[in-house]
Amino acid sequence: MKLYMSDFYRCEIFYPLDEIQNDILYYLYQPLIGSQAVHLYMMLHVEGKRMKKTKTSSSLSRLISFLTISMVDLEKQLRSLEAIGLLKTYVKYQDNITQYIFQLMSPLSLKAFFHNQILTSLLEESLSSDDLKKTIQYFKVYHENTNDYEEITAKFQDVFTINQIKNGRMLKYNEDMPEEKNNDMKLDYDYELFYQTLSDYQVSRKKLSNEDEKYVIQLAQVYHVDALTLAGFVKESMESQGINKQILKNKIKEYYDIDKQSTLSEVYHKQPLQYQTSDNNDSPLVLHMKYLDSITPYELLKDKQGGKEPVYRDLMIVETLMNQLGLKPAVVNVLLEYVLGKNDNRLSKRYLETIGSSWTRKHIETAMDAYRELMHEDDIVEEKKEIKEVEDIDNEEVKSLLYKLKGGSV
């Protein structure tokens, strides 16, 4: 939507914000949409209370003045509130006048928020693990353990007596009374293709409740799963009592991890020409170093697995070594061969990073230098081992001498 200063707006609220909803807005929504959007929401809420009494519209220039933001920012923050489910917007064009109605939705309850896979995923990305723990801790409610207590709460009939209603009057529910309203985020997804594919798999749509559908589609949005693939995962996750959400989530995350391999870049690079082995010696060592110069870390791992695709976890470890530590491809290849040989063909992230960070500080940039560094480290380890063995022998001799001095057999 394109907004103009001269456009008019009215705000409508369905229910006043309580203290918990305020906390939810600031602690859970604000990390996702930003402080400006929350500030706008609170301003619209105040305007809604005012307009409920005055019944008059105002021009958008009023909002601009109070919020001290540009029209471009106002458009952006309104869209953020709409997308997150906190605002519904309606427009009417009449007699060259543009009139907007901003309906404010209540924030989701705590339970609904943390059951929403999209919102919780965004929150995990927006906050550090420590801040996320503190936020969750803030909303936890602690109660005294009442197991050792006896409940003595009075019952209704123990206190009140209902007489015949005077004049036949009854308290009627007023449908105009305010009621809290939430608005689910609108998700653009190919529901028709999803359910058609499920039908092809002979899975009845009735097996998915409304809650199941929300969960499934939210997961698909978070992990970018298309409708055809999603239907296959749902079919594989179906059990006699319904869908197994944990199995579904595991399958989708595994699919996402495999698909994310396309985002890897460094693992597909070969050793730059200026850092390749220049020795013309035809010794087996030099030839092997030249071989490690000529292949990528991805190709090395694939070769070690008999031509099978490396797992995403291993590739991510290698990507970290090259991105964060700046290790050259052939240097990583030497390191991978060494660790696989030492660690029963398993890659230990901590082991790799410990050696890798040491090589970064020592500016190891060629395969031969990496090999020599490993040989030097092995020599040091072997020397320490020999010293320990000599000390153990000396200790045994001392023990034997003491035994003899105490009258033991010779």
Side-chain angles (χ1 to χ4, degrees), residues 130-142:
D130 186 49
D131 286 335
L132 182 62
K133 287 178 184 176
K134 289 178 180 177
T135 300
I136 294 173
Q137 196 75 17
Y138 175 78
F139 287 105
K140 282 188 176 180
V141 178
Y142 297 95

Side-chain angles (χ1 to χ4, degrees), residues 67-166:
L67 296 169
T68 62
I69 60 174
S70 66
M71 187 62 73
V72 173
D73 283 338
L74 178 63
E75 290 178 5
K76 179 182 176 183
Q77 305 312 328
L78 284 171
R79 287 179 62 83
S80 295
L81 292 175
E82 291 166 357
I84 208 74
L86 291 174
L87 181 69
K88 282 187 177 181
T89 303
Y90 299 87
V91 64
K92 180 175 73 173
Y93 305 101
Q94 188 176 18
D95 299 331
N96 294 323
I97 295 175
T98 303
Q99 172 82 43
Y100 291 97
I101 294 179
F102 298 133
Q103 284 187 352
L104 271 74
M105 302 291 110
S106 299
L108 295 176
S109 66
L110 282 172
K111 184 178 180 180
F113 186 98
F114 284 109
H115 273 76
N116 188 300
Q117 297 299 304
I118 295 176
L119 295 180
T120 51
S121 296
L122 288 173
L123 190 65
E124 288 172 359
E125 290 181 10
S126 302
L127 299 177
S128 67
S129 58
D130 186 49
D131 286 335
L132 182 62
K133 287 178 184 176
K134 289 178 180 177
T135 300
I136 294 173
Q137 196 75 17
Y138 175 78
F139 287 105
K140 282 188 176 180
V141 178
Y142 297 95
H143 295 288
E144 179 73 22
N145 188 339
T146 58
N147 290 341
D148 297 330
Y149 291 76
E150 178 186 357
E151 184 178 357
I152 57 172
T153 308
K155 293 181 174 58
F156 179 86
Q157 61 269 29
D158 295 336
V159 179
F160 297 101
T161 302
I162 302 177
N163 297 319
Q164 185 178 1
I165 300 173
K166 295 180 181 179

